[in-house]
Amino acid sequence: MIDHDGFRPNVGIILTNRDRRLFWGRRVGQNAWQFPQGGINDNETPEQAMYRELEEEVGLQSLQVTILGCTRGWLRYHLPKRYIRRHCGPTCIGQKQVWFMLRVDCGEDAFCLDSTDRPEFDAWRWVRYWQPLHEVVYFKRHVYQQALEELAPILYPDGIPRRDDYFSGVADFLRHRHP
């Protein structure tokens, strides 16, 4: 389903644990990391699509998470020209996404990345809040920034962490790993 402007409706999922770390998944067979996401079918609401994608990509069900919030509207990104398929109409120029922030209410042993015939992720890890902005593919970065900025007050009601906290975390890691 492509809208009249050429955007595919989609949901994005930001999973957080009790330490306010975010689930960060590696795409199968690539060195590309992202949040779970996926298209909205014709007969689905964004929330229904989010639960379907959550189960397909991460193996979690609705009872294992709590919705903390979602973006107020659609966030859009354009695909680079080399990724636009023009010969299989209608032409999709990008995605418009509603982003959900979910708290994980179960143990990590419930995560299952290969519950479908075509898994999206082959590895995952917990990351600091702003880290995805430094690792996601460039053409999605703006949407990730918008979603993280809009949803940050949910996790950080007393003050959002500075973005440079990510870099201090990297420095701490390297310092402890290489004394």
Side-chain angles (χ1 to χ4, degrees):
M1 175 172 78
I2 309 296
D3 73 9
H4 65 280
D5 293 323
F7 289 91
R8 178 178 175 238
N10 193 284
V11 293
I13 304 168
I14 301 171
L15 291 166
T16 182
N17 65 12
R18 70 182 74 126
D19 297 323
R20 299 190 281 197
R21 297 285 197 236
L22 307 181
F23 173 95
W24 196 227
R26 184 177 66 194
R27 305 253 327 161
V28 169
Q30 302 175 37
N31 189 23
W33 294 78
Q34 69 176 48
F35 292 129
Q37 68 174 59
I40 300 172
N41 295 332
D42 287 335
N43 60 343
E44 288 182 313
T45 66
E47 186 173 320
Q48 290 168 332
M50 179 271 298
Y51 282 125
R52 179 181 48 75
E53 290 293 336
L54 179 67
E55 189 168 353
E56 288 174 7
E57 295 188 6
V58 184
L60 297 181
Q61 297 180 359
S62 62
L63 296 174
Q64 296 171 303
V65 297
T66 299
I67 297 177
L68 300 177
C70 67
T71 55
R72 291 181 296 276
W74 297 106
L75 305 180
R76 291 173 172 78
Y77 71 82
H78 287 83
L79 291 168
K81 289 183 182 182
R82 68 180 178 271
Y83 295 129
I84 296 175
R85 292 179 242 151
R86 300 192 184 276
H87 305 293
C88 58
T91 300
C92 176
I93 64 165
Q95 298 202 41
K96 64 180 187 180
Q97 300 175 312
V98 173
W99 283 86
F100 290 86
M101 179 173 280
L102 308 177
R103 182 185 64 231
V104 175
D105 297 327
C106 61
E108 293 177 1
D109 57 330
F111 288 54
C112 179
L113 303 182
D114 60 357
S115 63
T116 65
D117 294 339
R118 297 182 63 201
E120 294 283 330
F121 302 119
D122 60 12
W124 68 277
R125 64 186 195 249
W126 294 113
V127 298
R128 291 176 179 253
Y129 194 79
W130 297 112
Q131 184 172 339
L133 295 183
H134 305 283
E135 294 184 13
V136 71
V137 65
Y138 71 94
F139 60 87
K140 293 182 182 180
R141 194 165 293 137
H142 180 68
V143 165
Y144 273 52
Q145 179 177 337
Q146 287 178 294
L148 288 169
E149 286 176 353
E150 185 174 338
L151 298 171
I154 295 169
L155 277 188
Y156 298 98
D158 297 326
I160 299 167
R162 294 187 338 254
R163 290 186 195 177
D164 58 357
D165 286 348
Y166 162 71
F167 292 109
S168 67
V170 170
D172 289 345
F173 171 77
L174 292 174
R175 191 171 30 259
H176 288 94
R177 188 168 176 198
H178 305 287

